[in-house]
């Protein structure tokens, strides 16, 4: 079983400290972790540090991954890709980067097709990336990340360019995928109600520091929302029993 824990993680950009001593409890296979906080809090920096794209103090304690730290896959918020590639080619290229050689098997072709179908983009398979909308490109980026067969998935605001229907589709899919494949999914979200509905744990980041970490219903409270987001709100249960934030105003 895959587990991951952060211990005193830090990062710097030149002389500026971007992350300070981020520590968490241990996360386990099958869990969704919402990484929340205001703009410029350090969420993207945290993901880059966890993925090994930035250096700094502290440790990412990973156990049970088939690939070691190579099993941590980062999906950035800003999507860049060769606009002349087709959707299918871009997903297949991401899958092949995990293997030696470039010979393509029938199983790999089927895997790429299944990922595209699961995200509702199979009909886009032979369109060039440059022809797609921002939301469509974001779905392709999710598909590329999944094609790398991760054990730990770091998703930086993956629903920001999607309409509400697609947001729900992607979040439902990611929650099911985490359970079925035993992934640990860290997902940066601005919608606190989505965090409450879809995630098991929440990690609150502000000013490069971890303010709170734990089960969502214990971390996402009226006090936290007032302290971190400067809003007045209540946490109430909806008809399905899921907690939801009811906004009362600006604090």
């Amino acid at each position: 079983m895959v587990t991951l824990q952060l211990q005193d993680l830090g990062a710097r950009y030149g002389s500026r400290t971007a992350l300070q001593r981020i520590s968490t409890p241990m996360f386990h296979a099958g869990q969704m972790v919402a990484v929340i906080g205001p703009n410029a809090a350090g969420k993207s920096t945290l993901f880059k540090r966890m993925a090994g794209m930035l250096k700094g103090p502290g440790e990412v304690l990973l156990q049970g991954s088939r690939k070691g730290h190579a099993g941590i896959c980062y999906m950035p918020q800003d999507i860049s890709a060769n606009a002349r590639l087709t959707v299918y080619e871009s997903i297949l290229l991401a899958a092949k980067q995990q293997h030696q050689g470039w010979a393509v098997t029938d199983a790999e072709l089927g895997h790429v097709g299944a990922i595209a179908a699961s995200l509702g983009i199979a009909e886009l398979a032979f369109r060039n990336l440059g022809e797609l909308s921002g939301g469509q490109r974001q779905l392709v980026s999710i598909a590329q990340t999944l094609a790398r067969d991760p054990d730990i998935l770091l998703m930086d605001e993956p629903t920001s360019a999607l309409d509400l229907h697609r947001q729900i589709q992607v979040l439902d899919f990611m929650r099911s995928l985490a359970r079925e494949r035993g992934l640990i999914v860290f997902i940066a979200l601005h919608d606190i109600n989505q965090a409450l509905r879809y995630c098991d744990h929440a990690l609150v980041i502000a000013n490069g520091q971890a303010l709170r970490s734990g089960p969502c219903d214990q971390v996402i409270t009226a006090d936290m929302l007032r302290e971190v987001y400067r809003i007045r709100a209540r946490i109430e249960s909806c008809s399905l029993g899921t907690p939801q934030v009811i906004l009362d105003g600006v604090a």
Side-chain angles (χ1 to χ4, degrees):
M1 176 182 290
V2 177
T3 64
L4 184 140
Q5 186 176 16
L6 306 181
Q7 189 172 84
D8 293 332
L9 216 62
R12 299 177 68 87
Y13 291 111
S15 61
R16 181 176 69 86
T17 299
L19 291 180
Q20 302 180 53
R21 300 179 66 86
I22 304 287
S23 294
T24 68
M26 184 175 291
F27 301 113
H28 296 86
Q31 293 182 334
M32 291 263 288
V33 182
V35 181
I36 58 177
N39 289 334
K43 298 185 293 294
S44 297
T45 299
L46 174 63
F47 282 172
K48 292 175 182 177
R49 176 67 182 85
M50 291 172 66
M53 300 168 64
L54 292 174
K55 301 297 183 182
E59 293 186 85
V60 178
L61 303 175
L62 175 62
Q63 294 185 342
S65 173
R66 300 158 295 162
K67 305 175 182 178
H69 282 264
I72 301 176
C73 293
Y74 170 54
M75 177 189 153
Q77 182 180 0
D78 297 322
I79 303 164
S80 60
N82 188 334
R84 290 175 293 182
L85 290 176
T86 67
V87 168
Y88 196 92
E89 289 169 339
S90 70
I91 301 171
L92 181 59
L93 181 61
K96 292 305 296 181
Q97 289 174 345
Q98 303 302 298
H99 306 284
Q100 293 183 347
W102 291 99
V104 178
T105 67
D106 289 342
E108 288 170 332
L109 294 175
H111 180 55
V112 169
I115 291 172
S118 67
L119 290 168
I121 56 173
E123 70 277 8
L124 304 176
F126 300 106
R127 289 179 60 183
N128 289 342
L129 294 177
E131 300 172 4
L132 305 183
S133 69
Q136 289 170 331
R137 287 172 68 94
Q138 198 158 30
L139 290 170
V140 173
S141 183
I142 295 171
Q144 291 170 329
T145 307
L146 294 177
R148 295 167 60 191
D149 194 23
D151 290 317
I152 310 294
L153 187 52
L154 312 176
M155 308 183 77
D156 197 349
E157 298 187 30
T159 60
S160 61
L162 304 181
D163 61 37
L164 186 57
H165 174 83
R166 287 292 199 181
Q167 289 180 32
I168 293 171
Q169 177 192 18
V170 166
L171 291 170
D172 275 334
F173 174 67
M174 294 311 305
R175 183 170 61 179
S176 297
L177 193 68
R179 306 289 197 268
E180 292 168 4
R181 294 193 186 178
L183 308 181
I184 304 176
V185 179
F186 290 80
I187 182 166
L189 291 170
H190 279 300
D191 189 324
I192 302 300
N193 281 323
Q194 288 183 346
L196 283 166
R197 178 174 179 178
Y198 290 101
C199 296
D200 307 290
H201 291 263
L203 173 60
V204 183
I205 303 291
N207 298 317
Q209 301 180 61
L211 300 186
R212 303 188 187 189
S213 181
C216 282
D217 59 354
Q218 297 178 21
V219 168
I220 299 174
T221 64
D223 288 343
M224 186 278 288
L225 294 171
R226 183 171 56 253
E227 174 189 352
V228 176
Y229 292 94
R230 294 179 294 172
I231 61 172
R232 291 183 291 107
R234 294 165 283 128
I235 313 296
E236 298 183 355
S237 292
C238 68
S239 57
L240 298 177
T242 303
Q244 62 180 343
V245 174
I246 307 297
L247 182 63
D248 291 326
V250 176

